Amino acid sequence: MIKDTIVNGFANAPHRSLYHALGLTEEELDRPLIGIVSSHNEIVPGHMNLDKITEAVKLGVAMAGGTPIVFPAIAVCDGIAMGHTGMKYSLVTRDLIADSTESMALAHGFDGLVMVPNCDKNVPGLLMAAARLNIPTIFVSGGPMLAGRVEGKKTSLSSMFEAVGAYTAGKIDEEKLREYELKTCPTCGSCSGMYTANSMNCLTEVLGMGLRGNGTIPAVYSARIELAKHAGMQIMELVKKNIRPLDIMTSDAFHNALTADMALGCSTNSMLHLPAIANECGVDFNLDLANEISEKTPNLCHLAPAGRTYMEDLNEAGGVYAVLSELNKLGLIKTNALTCTGKTVGENIADAVNVDPETIRTIDNPYSKTGGIAVLRGNLAPDGCVVKRAAVAPEMLVHEGPARVFDSEEECIKAIYAGEIKAGDVVVIRYEGPAGGPGMREMLSPTSAIAGMGLDKEVALITDGRFSGATRGASIGHVSPEAVRGGLIAYVRDGDIISINIPEYKIELKVSDEELEARKAEMPIKHKENLSGYLKRYAKMVSSADKGAIINIK
C-alpha cells in the first residue's frame, strides 16, 4: 500500500507521531488510508449538504475496513459569481482544485480517494486530479436541487434570470419577480436543470467514476446518503483490486461520455471539461468527435432549460443508466468499458429500464435524430465554437443577421436593458475568452435577458466566452481563436453580416478578405491591463477553448 512508505518502519516513527497527534490509533494506521476530498462550504447551495455526504462516506469506508481522512477542496458558486468580476474566478478554479488535490494526496500518501464534489468546476477539477494521481478513486456528488414551483409550474435558476429580463421588459411586476426569487431554488443541491454541474455529475457516472444515481438522486433524498455509504465501501474494493482511474477513463469511456452528452442535452461546458479531463488521461479528444458522434446519436432528453423536465424527473425515469440502455439499443455504447463498480458498462445497465418515455424519449421517438451539442466552424471560428442545439428554437437553427458588437459582457447587458437589441441581430461579445477575460466568463445574464424579453427566437449571441448550462437559445460560445489571441472575432464591426447554419455546422462572417486585412492593420488587439495575482498567471498560461482551456497540455 502507498501509505506503507510513510507509516511502517523505524524511519517513519516521526510520521507516526504526527498521525497519533491526530488521534489515530495503531489499528487505524494498519488499515488503508482513504482520503476524502470534500468540497463542503457554506456559500455554495450545491455544497451545503456535503458535510452529511462526507460523514456517510467516512462511515462506509470504516465499515469496509479503511481509515477515512477528510481534506478540503474549494468551489465557486457560478450563480452567485454571475454577471460581475467574480465570474472570472470560476473556470480558473478548476486547475486550482486539480493542483491542490494532487498536492494533498501525494504529500500524505493515501491509498485511495473518495471525491465529494457537486458543482461546475470542482467536478471536472477533481476528475482531472484523479487521472493525474491514478490511485484508486471513486466519486459521489451532493446531488441536484429539487425544482422550484411558481403558479404550479416547475422552475429552476434559469427561470430566475429570465424573470429579471421579463421584469425589465415590463412583462411581470416586482411582486412576481419577488415570488420567483423566493421559490425558484427551494432546496440545497446543484441547480435543478441539466446545467453544467448536473451535466458533469451525470457524465462522471457515464465515465465509470461514480455509482448508479450519482448524477440524478436529489440532494435531499435519503437515498443520496445511502449512495455515499456505498461509495465509501466500494473504494475499499477498488483499493483491494487495484482498479485505478486510468483503467476506467479510457478512450471507450470518453466515447460513452460524449454519446450520453448528446442524448442528455448537456451543458456546452462539457466541451471544455471533457477535453481537459481527457488530456490528463492521455486520451486524444478532438472537438470534431462531437459532430461525428452527434450525427448518429439521438437527443432523448429536454431537461430544463431546453424543456419542462428536471433532474428529479430524470431520476424517476430511470436515471443515466436508462439513457445508456436506450442508446445501447442502437449499438452506440462501448459496453466493455470498466467502471468503478468493478463491472463493465454492459453489466451495469443490463437491468436498467426507462419507465418514463416522456422524460427519456425512446430511440424510436427522439426529440431529434442528432445530438444536443454541435461544433461549428468557419472563418469566424476556424478552430471551432460550440452551441447547445437542443435548446435552440427551430427557427434559429439557420440565421443570418447584422452584428452588434461589444467588448465586454457589461457593455452588452447595458445595451440589452436599454432596448437597443432588435429582432434579427447577432450579438457579439468578445474579449471574454480564457486569456482575454481572463477566465472565460459565463454569459447567463445576457442570454437570460434576451430570453426573458422574448427575443430568444429572433436574436443570436456569439462569444469567445462561454455559457451557463442554464442558457437556451442560439447562444454560440467558445469561439476559437479568441479575440485577444488574434481571432477574427476581434475584427467584427457593427452591421457586419454573420451567417449561422447549425445543421451544417457552419458559421461565417460575410466580410471580404481584403477588408479584414485592412481592419487588422487599424484595429489593435485589446489586452486587459492591471491584471495581478492568479488571473495574471492564468492569462499567460491558458490554452484556447478548443483545447479545453487547460494549463498542462500533454
Side-chain angles (χ1 to χ4, degrees):
M1 290 186 291
I2 298 172
K3 62 99 176 172
D4 289 344
T5 61
I6 63 172
V7 172
N8 295 337
F10 74 90
N12 288 324
H15 302 78
R16 290 196 297 275
S17 72
L18 293 170
Y19 282 119
H20 288 305
L22 292 169
L24 294 179
T25 65
E26 291 184 7
E27 290 83 357
E28 287 174 300
L29 293 178
D30 284 339
R31 300 172 180 176
L33 298 183
I34 306 299
I36 301 174
V37 188
S38 173
S39 300
H40 171 252
N41 59 57
E42 295 182 345
I43 187 61
V44 183
H47 294 199
M48 63 182 286
N49 66 320
L50 294 190
D51 55 343
K52 295 178 176 59
I53 301 298
T54 299
E55 287 302 314
V57 171
K58 288 176 65 177
L59 183 57
V61 169
M63 288 167 62
T67 298
I69 301 176
V70 179
F71 65 90
I74 64 169
V76 166
C77 178
D78 280 25
I80 294 175
M82 194 73 63
H84 57 90
T85 191
M87 182 48 70
K88 294 178 184 290
Y89 288 90
S90 174
L91 179 61
V92 304
T93 64
R94 187 184 67 184
D95 293 275
L96 286 176
I97 291 161
D99 292 348
S100 60
T101 302
E102 172 194 357
S103 302
M104 288 292 289
L106 292 180
H108 300 105
F110 292 107
D111 296 302
L113 295 172
V114 182
M115 306 295 198
V116 187
N118 207 29
C119 287
D120 298 40
K121 308 310 167 302
N122 66 324
V123 177
L126 290 177
L127 283 165
M128 290 164 66
R132 196 181 297 174
L133 291 162
N134 199 33
I135 63 176
T137 303
I138 194 169
F139 279 65
V140 56
S141 77
M145 183 184 294
L146 293 179
R149 281 173 173 76
V150 175
E151 295 180 343
K153 295 180 180 179
K154 290 184 179 181
T155 60
S156 58
L157 185 63
S158 55
S159 310
M160 184 69 251
F161 276 88
E162 290 178 16
V164 174
Y167 173 76
T168 303
K171 294 186 175 183
I172 63 173
D173 59 18
E174 188 172 351
E175 183 179 352
K176 180 58 66 176
L177 181 64
R178 175 70 169 165
E179 184 180 0
Y180 272 96
E181 179 183 336
L182 295 176
K183 296 181 177 179
T184 291
C185 298
T187 72
C188 62
S190 47
C191 295
S192 56
M194 187 54 81
Y195 309 148
T196 306
N198 292 326
S199 295
M200 293 311 302
N201 281 324
C202 287
L203 295 183
T204 297
E205 200 174 325
V206 180
L207 282 169
M209 293 297 291
L211 298 176
R212 183 176 191 166
N214 179 71
T216 60
I217 297 173
V220 295
Y221 283 14
S222 297
R224 177 62 59 175
I225 300 295
E226 294 180 29
L227 180 71
K229 291 176 184 176
H230 283 129
M233 289 185 269
Q234 185 60 24
I235 187 59
M236 298 305 296
E237 285 297 309
L238 296 177
V239 170
K240 180 180 178 181
K241 296 176 180 177
N242 196 29
I243 297 175
R244 301 174 179 238
L246 295 187
D247 299 323
I248 295 171
M249 290 192 286
T250 62
S251 58
D252 281 354
F254 282 96
H255 171 93
N256 288 343
L258 199 48
T259 301
D261 190 332
M262 295 300 167
L264 287 165
C266 290
S267 164
T268 52
N269 281 315
S270 64
M271 292 296 102
L272 283 176
H273 300 321
L274 287 176
I277 300 161
N279 174 70
E280 296 289 352
C281 293
V283 172
D284 183 48
F285 191 104
N286 188 302
L287 275 187
D288 289 332
L289 279 173
N291 291 345
E292 179 183 328
I293 289 176
S294 179
E295 279 298 316
K296 54 188 177 184
T297 305
N299 178 229
L300 303 180
C301 300
H302 265 196
L303 286 89
R308 297 180 180 179
T309 51
Y310 293 79
M311 295 305 297
E312 61 199 64
D313 301 311
L314 179 59
N315 185 63
E316 295 300 320
V320 171
Y321 278 22
V323 175
L324 295 179
S325 180
E326 283 290 339
L327 294 171
N328 196 42
K329 294 174 184 177
L330 294 173
L332 298 176
I333 298 299
K334 305 287 188 180
T335 54
N336 288 327
L338 182 65
T339 73
C340 66
T341 65
K343 300 177 182 179
T344 66
V345 171
E347 290 173 308
N348 287 345
I349 67 174
D351 63 347
V353 177
N354 175 9
V355 299
D356 182 0
E358 285 304 310
T359 297
I360 304 173
R361 292 281 186 95
T362 65
I363 58 171
D364 299 321
N365 183 37
Y367 283 101
S368 64
K369 293 182 179 180
T370 53
I373 289 177
V375 175
L376 315 183
R377 293 185 187 269
N379 66 344
L380 191 57
D383 293 336
C385 56
V386 180
V387 62
K388 186 174 181 176
R389 67 174 165 190
V392 178
E395 54 265 49
M396 288 298 292
L397 290 172
V398 178
H399 180 76
E400 185 170 294
R404 289 297 315 278
V405 185
F406 304 94
D407 288 343
S408 71
E409 179 186 8
E410 288 84 356
E411 289 181 19
C412 179
I413 283 287
K414 184 178 179 180
I416 293 171
Y417 286 154
E420 295 174 9
I421 304 302
K422 307 299 181 185
D425 285 347
V426 178
V427 175
V428 177
I429 306 176
R430 60 193 179 193
Y431 294 106
E432 292 285 6
M440 203 179 185
R441 289 192 289 180
E442 289 185 343
M443 302 290 169
L444 180 56
S445 293
T447 58
S448 296
I450 287 170
M453 297 170 79
L455 293 172
D456 57 300
K457 295 180 180 180
E458 300 173 290
V459 171
L461 195 154
I462 298 172
T463 181
D464 54 6
R466 61 194 178 92
F467 297 111
S468 164
T471 293
R472 62 184 174 93
S475 301
I476 301 167
H478 308 194
V479 169
S480 299
E482 62 176 294
V484 80
R485 297 275 170 83
L488 198 59
I489 192 172
Y491 305 106
V492 181
R493 285 179 172 167
D494 279 347
D496 288 348
I497 300 300
I498 296 177
S499 173
I500 301 163
N501 191 320
I502 295 173
E504 295 185 6
Y505 307 115
K506 294 179 180 178
I507 184 167
E508 294 287 334
L509 174 65
K510 294 194 167 182
V511 175
S512 70
D513 292 341
E514 294 77 12
E515 170 63 18
L516 289 173
E517 287 304 313
R519 290 183 189 181
K520 290 177 182 180
E522 62 187 47
M523 295 175 65
I525 297 295
K526 298 180 179 180
H527 295 271
K528 295 289 194 305
E529 298 180 359
N530 302 317
L531 289 177
S532 62
Y534 182 47
L535 287 183
K536 184 175 182 178
R537 300 198 306 275
Y538 185 87
K540 289 181 179 180
M541 300 168 64
V542 68
S543 78
S544 60
D546 64 293
K547 298 293 191 297
I550 51 180
I551 300 296
N552 300 309
I553 301 178
K554 291 189 176 181

